[in-house]
């Protein structure tokens, strides 16, 4: 699994080099992963699946945690269902200042799962501040269409973050058709960011079907 993830981290760095935004992703086998936790702790429930650190000129250093924890609510799924917890933090005087958070829980026959290869950071509109793209899939038993979501976190000043979302409904019956739904905030995003999020959704969809 790690071999697949490492190119994503490399792509994050190279994609943002033109803006001098220095970004890298770390996993549990990386020394830097352990160093980050030693320095600032693990601020969310569970264990980080990935930690992304991004230095943004004139704004500071941001740390993005994507964690999984054992499901708290009753589930009827096999394996080890997980709850998802994620947050973007600004490093502040040796600590972390929370900017925006995310969580979704397994329950009954449904279980959310990060599509970690499609959780990315980019600066599609080239405004000097990155967007954070969180991609996850809601697995469940049954033949109903299942949601694949790309949540986009944006900020113009690094102080307040906004959340936008595009959801692709993946059909599992022949008579159903794929559709995607964009929330009102997504419709207001710059064209370049919308196109990037739509591309991530399209590529993630290929990974499911």
């Amino acid at each position: 699994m790690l071999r697949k993830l490492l190119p994503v981290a490399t792509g994050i760095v190279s994609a943002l080099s033109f803006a001098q935004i220095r970004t890298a992703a770390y996993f549990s086998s990386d020394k830097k992963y352990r160093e980050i936790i030693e320095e600032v702790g693990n601020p969310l429930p569970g264990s980080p699946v990935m930690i992304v650190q991004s230095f943004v000129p004139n704004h500071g250093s941001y740390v993005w945690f994507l964690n999984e924890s054992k499901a708290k609510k009753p589930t009827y799924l096999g394996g080890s269902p997980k709850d998802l917890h994620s947050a973007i933090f600004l490093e502040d005087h040796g600590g972390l200042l929370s900017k925006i958070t995310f969580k979704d829980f397994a329950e009954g026959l449904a279980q959310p799962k990060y599509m970690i290869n499609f959780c990315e950071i980019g600066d599609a509109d080239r405004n000097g501040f990155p967007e954070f793209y969180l991609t996850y899939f809601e697995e469940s038993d049954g033949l109903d269409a299942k949601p694949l979501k790309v949540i986009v976190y944006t900020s113009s000043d690094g102080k307040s973050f906004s959340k936008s979302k595009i959801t692709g409904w993946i059909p599992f019956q022949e008579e159903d058709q794929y559709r995607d739904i964009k929330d009102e905030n997504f419709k207001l995003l710059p064209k370049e960011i919308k196109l990037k999020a739509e591309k991530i959704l399209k590529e993630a969809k290929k990974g499911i079907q």
Side-chain angles (χ1 to χ4, degrees), residues 118-137:
F118 303 98
C119 292
E120 303 181 14
I121 292 179
D123 186 12
D125 61 350
R126 303 196 177 197
N127 71 345
F129 198 91
E131 314 91 43
F132 298 74
Y133 301 84
L134 189 158
T135 306
Y136 76 106
F137 182 56

Side-chain angles (χ1 to χ4, degrees), residues 27-197:
F27 309 96
S28 59
S29 59
D30 296 325
K31 179 182 178 182
K32 185 63 176 178
Y33 172 103
R34 297 187 293 273
E35 289 177 351
I36 291 173
I37 293 178
E38 288 173 2
E39 291 171 6
V40 300
N42 175 16
L44 299 173
S47 299
V49 177
M50 179 170 71
I51 301 174
V52 186
Q53 195 169 38
S54 183
F55 176 75
V56 185
N58 303 318
H59 293 284
S61 179
Y62 293 82
V63 186
W64 184 19
F65 282 81
L66 295 100
N67 284 26
E68 289 181 344
S69 66
K70 183 179 179 180
K72 286 188 175 181
K73 297 180 180 179
T75 63
Y76 306 100
L77 298 168
S80 301
K82 304 292 185 183
D83 293 336
L84 304 186
H85 309 266
S86 178
I88 299 167
F89 299 89
L90 174 65
E91 292 192 74
D92 183 50
H93 303 295
L96 295 175
L97 181 62
S98 177
K99 306 307 295 182
I100 197 162
T101 62
F102 158 88
K103 56 187 175 182
D104 199 351
F105 303 131
E107 184 176 13
L109 295 173
Q111 173 180 316
K113 286 190 173 182
Y114 289 124
M115 296 196 69
I116 207 70
N117 284 9
F118 303 98
C119 292
E120 303 181 14
I121 292 179
D123 186 12
D125 61 350
R126 303 196 177 197
N127 71 345
F129 198 91
E131 314 91 43
F132 298 74
Y133 301 84
L134 189 158
T135 306
Y136 76 106
F137 182 56
E138 190 86 28
E139 288 191 344
S140 65
D141 277 357
L143 297 176
D144 292 339
K146 299 168 179 58
L148 169 63
K149 302 180 182 183
V150 179
I151 296 175
V152 187
Y153 298 111
T154 55
S155 175
S156 59
D157 56 10
K159 296 178 181 178
S160 59
F161 279 70
S162 298
K163 169 187 171 183
S164 309
K165 181 173 64 177
I166 180 171
T167 303
W169 288 91
I170 311 298
F172 281 80
Q173 299 191 73
E174 291 185 2
E175 61 268 26
D176 292 336
Q177 292 186 341
Y178 171 81
R179 68 189 192 280
D180 61 52
I181 297 176
K182 303 164 185 175
D183 70 11
E184 292 304 314
N185 283 345
F186 188 92
K187 296 174 184 177
L188 298 174
L189 289 172
K191 178 181 177 181
E192 298 86 355
I193 298 177
K194 287 191 286 189
L195 288 174
K196 181 172 178 64

Side-chain angles (χ1 to χ4, degrees), residues 13-31:
V13 176
S14 61
L16 297 184
S17 60
F18 67 86
Q20 289 79 48
I21 299 173
R22 300 194 301 273
T23 300
Y26 304 105
F27 309 96
S28 59
S29 59
D30 296 325
K31 179 182 178 182

